[in-house]
Amino acid sequence: QTKKAKSSPPDYGALVAQGALWQRAGFPDWTACYYHEFAQIHRKRNDARYAGLARWVEQQRKSSKNLSPDCASMRRDKPSVRQLEQEAREFAARKKYAEAVRRLNEALHLDPQDPRNESLMIERASNYFMMGRDADNRRQKAQDELDDRERTLKDCEKSPESLQSSGDAPKCRDDQIEKLKREFTTDKEEAETLYNKVLGDCNVILHVNPRMEDAYLWRAIAQFYLSDAKFTDAVVSDLREVLRLNP
């Protein structure tokens, strides 16, 4: 379990936000740990942007019983399901979805019979979906650039200047086109794999609890994107089930 990068993050003010998340989740020791780390870094860097934030953190630390928590030993302790779930939410809020999935996987392996596993799997499915959307966005970006480059190449080939005076070989060329085609294929396959992971988690949940409306919802969303953004019969059926369970 890693709570802090080996080198201090440039935007160390984020440590305060992380501490606040732990505070809302009811983990005062972790709250104190993050505030303590912020205070240590601020003493070294003294970034003017965080002057007001530093005063606020100092007030919070003075009102806490644990001004200098043993963060190193806390990180060595075996995490609980609740801690891992909170860490996953923290990573998801920072759009680090792969890290969130790792924490949720660890939580799910702690106790396969834990009744909270259904909600953990829903959270994992939502992170898989966001990872899939990221891959889809990269795919679309590659497609747009590919379209532009192919259009430019075709215009070049039609131009009278495209033929060399010594022969018929066209001088128009774009070595990036093949690279973009590979990126497009890779990102498309990655997105489909991640959407199918959403389906997998939702199917497992619904096999055990057919009244879990969130599972129907995420399954419908994943199926929608897997079917090229079409409202197929399967998508509509799951959405209707969501409405039936939560009218």
Side-chain angles (χ1 to χ4, degrees):
Q1 181 183 357
T2 303
K3 293 270 184 181
K4 179 181 176 184
K6 291 183 180 180
S7 60
S8 300
D11 185 13
Y12 63 93
L15 291 168
V16 179
Q18 292 164 359
L21 282 172
W22 284 108
Q23 188 171 22
R24 286 199 294 271
F27 289 87
D29 287 344
W30 280 115
T31 301
C33 182
Y34 275 103
Y35 289 168
H36 177 69
E37 289 184 0
F38 169 84
Q40 284 186 316
I41 296 173
H42 185 69
R43 276 195 291 271
K44 294 177 181 177
R45 298 190 179 183
N46 198 27
D47 191 322
R49 294 177 300 166
Y50 301 133
L53 193 59
R55 289 192 293 271
W56 181 86
V57 166
E58 192 59 30
Q59 291 175 354
Q60 298 299 310
R61 295 182 68 222
K62 285 180 179 178
S63 64
S64 170
K65 296 179 181 179
N66 195 0
L67 287 177
S68 299
D70 187 359
C71 300
S73 65
M74 288 169 63
R75 292 190 180 98
R76 290 193 296 268
D77 293 340
K78 184 177 179 180
S80 67
V81 171
R82 190 180 173 199
Q83 285 174 322
L84 289 166
E85 183 179 17
Q86 179 59 29
E87 285 183 19
R89 289 175 179 172
E90 178 183 318
F91 278 117
R94 292 156 56 193
K95 298 184 179 181
K96 295 187 176 182
Y97 306 116
E99 290 294 333
V101 166
R102 290 190 188 98
R103 297 303 189 276
L104 292 167
N105 286 341
E106 191 175 345
L108 286 162
H109 281 101
L110 283 179
D111 184 1
Q113 305 303 320
D114 193 314
R116 289 175 292 180
N117 284 353
E118 288 180 9
S119 63
L120 293 176
M121 290 182 74
I122 286 292
E123 287 194 50
R124 184 171 68 177
S126 70
N127 281 283
Y128 279 144
F129 173 76
M130 295 306 298
M131 291 167 68
R133 292 301 297 141
D134 283 347
D136 247 344
N137 289 334
R138 293 194 302 272
R139 175 195 60 79
Q140 187 59 57
K141 184 178 179 180
Q143 180 68 69
D144 292 343
E145 185 176 350
L146 181 60
D147 290 343
D148 288 342
R149 287 180 177 273
E150 287 183 332
R151 191 180 305 112
T152 300
L153 184 60
K154 285 180 181 179
D155 290 342
C156 176
E157 290 171 347
K158 292 177 182 178
S159 171
E161 293 81 17
S162 65
L163 297 179
Q164 296 177 352
S165 58
S166 58
D168 295 329
K171 62 180 180 181
C172 300
R173 179 171 177 165
D174 190 337
D175 295 331
Q176 289 296 310
I177 287 179
E178 290 304 317
K179 178 176 178 289
L180 287 166
K181 286 181 178 179
R182 291 192 297 271
E183 289 179 359
F184 173 88
T185 300
T186 299
D187 292 333
K188 184 175 185 294
E189 291 174 350
E190 182 181 346
E192 289 175 349
T193 297
L194 289 161
Y195 293 147
N196 275 304
K197 286 185 176 183
V198 176
L199 292 183
D201 275 355
C202 292
N203 287 335
V204 169
I205 293 169
L206 292 171
H207 179 73
V208 177
N209 180 7
R211 295 189 61 81
M212 173 70 83
E213 64 185 80
D214 284 346
Y216 285 109
L217 179 60
W218 281 112
R219 190 169 72 173
I221 294 171
Q223 290 178 129
F224 177 77
Y225 282 98
L226 282 169
S227 57
D228 295 324
K230 294 184 178 66
F231 283 96
T232 62
D233 290 344
V235 174
V236 173
S237 176
D238 278 349
L239 291 176
R240 283 176 175 165
E241 197 64 22
V242 173
L243 293 174
R244 185 185 72 81
L245 291 169
N246 187 14

